[in-house]
Amino acid sequence: MPPSTSPLRLGLTGGIGSGKSTVAEIWRRAGHRVIDLDAHSRRVLDVPGDGVEAAVARFGEEFRGSGGTIDRAAMARLVFADPAARGDLERIVLTRVDTAVAEEEVAAASAGEPLVVHDSPLLLEKGREAEYAAVVVVLARREDRIERVVRDRGRDRGYVESIMAAQVTDLERIRRADRLILNTAGRDALERRSLHALAAALGALGALEDSALR
Ligand SMILES: CC(C)(COP(=O)(O)OP(=O)(O)OC[C@H]1O[C@@H](n2cnc3c(N)ncnc32)[C@H](O)[C@@H]1O)[C@@H](O)C(=O)NCCC(=O)NCCS
Ligand SMILES: Nc1ncnc2c1ncn2[C@@H]1O[C@H](COP(=O)(O)OP(=O)(O)OP(=O)(O)O)[C@@H](O)[C@H]1O
């Protein structure tokens, strides 16, 4: 018999380079399922299929890269300078991401897992807070975020700033979060703060009575 209750759903979000994926990895190592919406999003444009074809139909063959899928750098230059184009790309990508996420949630529910976390970069931008029992936001200094993305992904400052301009501000994130993780020190501090924030979020929801989450 499948379990009758769905897993508790937590949202994890934050701006580019804030440390979301690092927190997601810490929570995964603590034994929880974290669904990576950015990874699902990348697959839509990096794997040949109807997502790639829908993007080419909307934006043109010049956005097809050498491997037949989407040239991400060219697409980034377009959509982070043009909100209408960005909206169209989001409609193409996010509907397919939602389908993939729903499939992962079904797997979590059938396995009887008590918790799923969505690592979801655009949770606040898309106004999706109501879908979550609680929303946890990762914050870091703007300059640290820019420096880390430039250093670790070989992108330039202009690229990072164009994406920041397409995302909500930190004040808006603070206003709408249930809980904050300040990624303002080293990795050890981030680990401690992430585990503390998760326990506190679950505690506030009364979820720690579930022995599987202790
Ligand atoms: C434009 C694309 C091709 C650029 O690819 P690129 O490899 O340069 O960037 P990547 O996907 O790794 O994202 C870089 C950063 O931008 C953020 N970001 C991505 N899309 C958006 C968006 N529409 N609005 C604001 N921030 C975004 C990501 O969360 C990440 O922090 C890609 O970002 C994309 O397909 N975006 C649209 C889909 C989307 O909204 N995905 C994010 C949520 S699931
Ligand atoms: N406290 C820290 N000290 C040093 N480096 C860090 C720290 N936190 C994160 N980083 C590094 O900064 C970079 C950005 O972090 P991460 O990938 O977790 O951010 P993100 O919010 O998931 O970014 P994006 O939305 O762009 O995917 C990574 O290379 C990560 O290893």
Side-chain angles (χ1 to χ4, degrees):
M1 280 273 285
S4 54
T5 53
S6 303
L8 185 76
R9 191 190 291 138
L10 284 191
L12 172 66
T13 193
I16 179 168
S18 58
K20 289 180 302 299
S21 311
T22 308
V23 172
E25 194 46 41
I26 292 164
W27 288 358
R28 258 186 217 112
R29 273 192 268 115
H32 305 295
R33 183 190 287 259
V34 183
I35 303 178
D36 182 343
L37 274 73
D38 245 350
H40 282 300
S41 163
R42 276 185 218 113
R43 260 173 237 132
V44 174
L45 300 182
D46 290 353
V47 176
D50 70 332
V52 170
E53 296 315 315
V56 168
R58 161 63 181 85
F59 296 105
E61 279 294 335
E62 64 269 33
F63 288 91
R64 206 189 280 278
S66 50
T69 57
I70 296 299
D71 177 344
R72 303 183 71 82
M75 191 59 87
R77 278 192 296 276
L78 173 71
V79 303
F80 293 122
D82 177 346
R86 188 163 68 247
D88 288 347
L89 181 66
E90 287 171 357
R91 269 185 290 283
I92 291 167
V93 174
L94 297 182
T95 47
R96 291 167 171 87
V97 169
D98 282 344
T99 304
V101 170
E103 285 167 10
E104 259 204 77
E105 288 218 328
V106 169
S110 339
E113 293 173 19
L115 174 70
V116 293
V117 178
H118 288 192
D119 174 359
S120 176
L122 299 188
L123 194 162
L124 297 178
E125 285 76 3
K126 296 290 154 199
R128 297 185 72 160
E129 296 101 301
E131 297 172 27
Y132 297 91
V135 173
V136 179
V137 164
V138 186
L139 293 171
R141 290 182 200 96
R142 178 184 168 87
E143 277 308 311
D144 287 349
R145 292 165 57 196
I146 295 173
E147 206 174 277
R148 287 171 185 161
V149 175
V150 168
R151 179 194 67 199
D152 298 340
R153 290 186 215 149
R155 312 305 289 255
D156 63 21
R157 168 179 278 268
Y159 165 85
V160 187
E161 287 182 335
S162 71
I163 293 178
M164 286 176 157
Q167 299 183 335
V168 300
T169 62
D170 277 345
L171 270 184
E172 185 66 10
R173 291 190 179 99
I174 291 166
R175 190 176 73 74
R176 289 162 66 187
D178 294 299
R179 207 155 285 276
L180 301 174
I181 297 175
L182 300 184
N183 185 11
T184 48
R187 289 177 185 278
D188 289 350
L190 182 60
E191 170 120 17
R192 275 196 309 281
R193 291 172 187 181
S194 302
L195 293 174
H196 179 266
L198 180 60
L202 294 175
L205 294 166
L208 287 177
E209 282 143 38
D210 183 334
S211 59
L213 286 172
R214 277 180 184 280

